[in-house]
């Protein structure tokens, strides 16, 4: 009898989670992973902290090496191997061994595409100068770190005010003590937050000494001796001896698209609840794949480690013959900026408006702990709820220590389809060092009830 | 037209929450509150921290004074007035003005009983010595604090290893630097936790230098010049120059019982979802009233500030003519012991067994943050789930900073009736300073899935 052969393209969170789940269910199958970079299964979210020097060495970010996968789970991992073509009907892929230059084909009974996402790099002049980094992979993180160690830059410009941009800005400012300028052509940082909450985040960033230049687009770079020396913008020039590009990512779906697989929102690979694609022998998971937004019910794409891990687990269980599904996600995300924490989940007002929903929102300012307990810090909560039905739609949090992880209360409530009233009724944990008797999230809920209806 | 007259017995969390809700809906009604003590609306949970000197003055624990209630909400509050009898059918109560000694009756159209709970005080010899305190009210807290300031005790014995006992032990040890002995006749601290998790809590208590004497019952006290000098136990004598009694509380329901109102579990006052009692003109809320356990579906009584506030809100809305209900609670509670945090919600294994449920549990040890991120601390999570259905039944947490408030994830999941699988699917917040890509609660869920069925 011929052994079943399962191939996986991409050896990071989604791919390796899937590989492990498949192995549990298919002890005898051949499981082979092709990974373009030199690392497997690392924490991409940890890269900013490694670059800043808060975490080292870089191997601490690696959850499991190719050798460990081979020894412990009999999973064959080929790093520095890029897959260049997929033939779903023929059950074949074309592989390019980056170190030897050799090209070969491999055949599969089942295939998982877990190719991730890549940083958006705008086509501006001078972008090839040394000292300009897009932190898409651990390897680029290692290069950025080496640049810092070698050249000791004093003024960094971060282009793009999303999660990676803000985390790098924080790390440079708070850990490295560098002068940091954050540039974004949008009028606010963090576009997944509403402007009012983003304003609070902007204030937090400024309060740590970072210069914030919003509504100002990048136009190019100047360099000296091949190294970046300034960032050119619509409004002028910002001296810089290091630049981080944080303009977001897009799904690595061209391989799938060329193979005839259906694509979905933002050109992510269309995947169903079991992470199956439009071809019965092919699954997709991680930053390259689509899912569903649990609140809007619409196709959704988001590049987050939590989602990639969940997709990988479900894909692996499905491919291994088990039964699992991912109903969808909420775009729950959080981040830290020195003493400030931020988090969001579900729909923002902006997103609710785009969906044509009738909604109301509340924004409250309170404290992270009982007001009289030492260390209580300000905390802002915004909730969005649907008018009429009273259904909770989403939430955003900005505050001191202990504020952000409360987003999980909102996320759980959203997953359960709770109303704002249900949220207020929740029996949440309280003691003066942690909260008030009404959790801040519930205080925001009580405010919102006045608008969405209810007592 | 005669104005509607609404009386409230008890001016703390439940009573005053209700009063505020009634006022919103009935601008013209007479709302009169009788409160036995000298304070309204204070944080009982803050008393240990005030006694220890972490919070001062005591007025910081008071959310709103009688004068503020009168001026801002036209709510008449009579402090130091004890209600001694209720006549539900006659619509009358008998009031004893503690300062003048005067006794009078007052009449009501609607009555709320929010009489709270009182500390259990065992009938042992010597319990009337100075320096022995049951922290049932802010007044006893003030006395305890004055005793500390006057006599500078060096060795405190805390009798009872529940929340108040542990919080006082922590405050004495960590804030005051006192020598502390914690005595409990039970073989474990924190009886709402299973023995395995209570063992971790016990270790945490010992690690801060507190002596833990378990399985050892209190038999009496000795005193010198009227002040306590030692605690007598089944096994011997413990020198003590101050004693805190933390043997739990029982509902103040005798007034209601004598008035013929039906009582429920633990002699709490039987109340329905709107906090109505067995008499149509009488409501009950707070530590004196019963509710329902959301997981077991059975009558439940618990004395917690969160629950008292919710009950008061619902009672007030109902009495004001609005529509609100409290489906039930989960016994969610949390506490802090220097660097350790503990929390629980829903059913423990012990409780699930008492209900005759078929259940499994998982206990995992992981970290509060990404393992590579500075400050990651150990965190233990225990989950209990029902065999067959896969329904989540409860959870317990012991860990470092950021561990305990994750109990809210479990509490929200329980309120929604989620399965363990639903919990694992939740899209929770993640960033390396806060969590791993799978939240610790979900890691425990994945372990539990292996036992309750599911992938």
């Amino acid at each position: 009898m011929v052994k079943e052969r399962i191939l996986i393209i991409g050896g990071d969170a989604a791919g390796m989670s899937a590989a492990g789940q498949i192995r549990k269910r298919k002890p005898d199958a051949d499981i082979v992973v092709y990974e373009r970079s030199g690392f497997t299964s690392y924490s991409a979210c940890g890269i900013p902290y490694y670059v800043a020097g808060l975490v080292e060495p870089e191997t601490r970010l690696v959850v499991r090496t190719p050798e460990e996968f081979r020894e412990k789970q009999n999973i064959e991992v080929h790093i520095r191997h890029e897959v260049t073509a997929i033939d779903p009907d023929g059950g074949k892929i074309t592989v390019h061994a980056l170190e030897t230059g050799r090209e070969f084909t491999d055949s599969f009974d089942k295939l998982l595409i877990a190719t991730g996402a890549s940083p958006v790099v705008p086509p501006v002049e001078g972008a090839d100068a040394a000292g300009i980094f897009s932190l898409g992979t651990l390897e680029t993180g290692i290069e950025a770190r080496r640049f810092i160690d070698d050249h000791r830059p004093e003024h960094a410009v971060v282009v793009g005010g999303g999660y990676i941009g803000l985390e790098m800005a924080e790390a440079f400012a708070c850990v490295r003590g560098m002068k940091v300028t954050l540039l974004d052509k949008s009028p606010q940082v963090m576009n997944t937050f509403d402007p009012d909450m983003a304003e609070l985040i902007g204030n937090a960033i400024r309060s740590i000494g970072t210069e914030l230049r919003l509504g100002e687009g990048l136009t190019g770079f100047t360099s000296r001796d091949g190294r970046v020396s300034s960032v050119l913008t619509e409004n002028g020039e910002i001296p810089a001896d290091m630049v981080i590009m944080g303009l977001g990512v897009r799904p690595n779906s061209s391989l799938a698209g060329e193979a005839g697989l259906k694509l979905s929102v933002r050109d992510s690979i269309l995947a169903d609840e079991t992470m199956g694609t439009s071809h019965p022998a092919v699954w997709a998971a991680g930053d390259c794949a689509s899912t569903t937004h649990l609140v809007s019910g619409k196709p959704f794409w988001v590049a987050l480690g939590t989602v990639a891990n969940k997709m990988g687990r479900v894909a692996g269980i499905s491919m291994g013959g088990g039964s699992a599904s991912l109903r969808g996600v909420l775009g729950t995300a959080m981040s830290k900026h020195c003493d400030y924490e931020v988090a969001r989940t579900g729909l923002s007002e902006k997103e609710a408006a785009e969906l044509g929903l009738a909604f109301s929102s509340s924004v409250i300012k309170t404290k992270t702990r009982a007001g009289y307990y030492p260390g209580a810090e300000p905390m802002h909560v915004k909730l969005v709820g649907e008018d009429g039905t009273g259904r909770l739609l989403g939430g955003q949090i900005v505050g001191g220590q202990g504020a952000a992880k409360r987003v999980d209360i909102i996320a759980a409530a959203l997953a359960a389809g709770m109303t704002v009233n249900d949220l207020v009724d929740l029996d949440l944990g309280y003691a003066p060092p942690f909260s008030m008797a009404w959790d801040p999230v519930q205080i925001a809920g009580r405010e919102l009830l006045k608008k969405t209806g209810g007592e």
Side-chain angles (χ1 to χ4, degrees), chain A residues 402-425:
Chain A
K405 202 64 168 101
R406 277 156 155 124
V407 77
D408 290 348
I409 303 166
I410 309 171
L414 289 172
M418 287 188 190
T419 62
V420 179
N421 203 74
D422 294 334
L423 178 76
V424 170
D425 277 352

Side-chain angles (χ1 to χ4, degrees), chain A residues 165-430:
Chain A
L166 263 64
E167 283 167 6
M168 271 317 325
E170 185 223 17
F172 283 152
C174 297
V175 182
R176 287 261 163 193
M178 285 162 67
K179 180 165 157 50
V180 181
T181 301
L182 185 68
L183 182 73
D184 199 311
K185 72 176 173 190
S186 159
Q188 69 170 69
V189 294
M190 292 281 199
N191 276 307
T192 58
F193 286 72
D194 285 319
D196 53 349
M197 297 301 279
E199 177 71 27
L200 297 172
I201 302 171
N203 293 342
I205 294 166
R206 287 191 190 94
S207 78
I208 61 176
T210 294
E211 183 195 21
L212 207 54
R213 292 172 75 148
L214 297 174
E216 186 173 345
L218 170 76
T219 57
F221 303 95
T222 66
S223 59
R224 198 176 301 125
D225 304 328
R227 289 222 307 270
V228 67
S229 56
S230 78
V231 176
L232 302 173
T233 78
E234 292 162 346
N235 298 354
E237 184 171 359
I238 311 167
D241 39 23
M242 181 169 187
V243 175
I244 299 290
M245 301 294 284
L247 292 168
V249 295
R250 56 169 65 107
N252 292 328
S253 59
S254 56
L255 206 57
E258 287 157 12
L261 296 176
K262 282 193 188 152
L263 301 186
S264 177
V265 57
R266 306 275 298 270
D267 279 340
S268 58
I269 303 169
L270 178 72
D272 62 21
E273 288 200 355
T274 67
M275 305 317 298
T277 68
S278 55
H279 192 283
V282 184
W283 283 256
D287 291 355
C288 64
S290 76
T291 178
T292 300
H293 195 291
L294 281 176
V295 180
S296 74
K298 293 190 185 301
F300 186 57
W301 173 78
V302 67
L304 287 168
T306 43
V307 175
N309 273 286
K310 286 194 181 68
M311 286 178 162
R313 173 174 172 270
V314 167
I317 292 173
S318 304
M319 295 172 78
S323 161
S325 65
L326 184 67
R327 275 199 308 135
V329 301
L330 296 160
T332 311
M334 59 197 296
S335 188
K336 181 178 160 295
H337 302 286
C338 300
D339 295 333
Y340 294 87
E341 304 181 359
V342 308
R344 56 92 62 218
T345 188
L347 302 180
S348 62
E349 281 194 288
K350 207 161 36 181
E351 291 164 328
E354 283 163 12
L355 289 163
L357 295 171
F359 63 88
S360 298
S361 68
S362 65
V363 181
I364 59 117
K365 182 181 179 184
T366 179
K367 299 263 183 174
T368 51
R369 308 175 176 191
Y372 56 79
Y373 194 89
E377 292 174 16
M379 170 169 177
H380 304 257
V381 181
K382 177 173 189 167
L383 289 181
V384 184
E386 192 173 31
D387 294 337
T389 66
R391 181 171 64 126
L392 185 67
L393 296 175
Q396 298 160 53
I397 296 172
V398 177
Q401 190 211 71
K405 202 64 168 101
R406 277 156 155 124
V407 77
D408 290 348
I409 303 166
I410 309 171
L414 289 172
M418 287 188 190
T419 62
V420 179
N421 203 74
D422 294 334
L423 178 76
V424 170
D425 277 352
L426 286 178
D427 187 11
L428 303 178
Y430 156 65

Side-chain angles (χ1 to χ4, degrees), chain A residues 78-140:
Chain A
H78 301 280
I79 56 171
R80 298 190 218 288
H81 279 66
E82 183 171 11
V83 174
T84 54
I86 301 171
D87 173 5
D89 289 334
K92 285 197 171 57
I93 62 173
T94 307
V95 185
H96 182 205
L98 296 178
E99 282 179 359
T100 63
R102 189 170 76 94
E103 194 163 273
F104 60 94
T105 60
D106 197 350
S107 61
F108 60 82
D109 297 299
K110 290 176 179 167
L111 174 72
L112 174 65
I113 307 176
T115 42
S118 290
V120 172
V121 181
V124 296
E125 208 177 343
D128 55 349
I132 303 175
F133 299 95
S134 292
L135 301 177
T137 63
L138 183 49
E139 269 136 352
T140 53

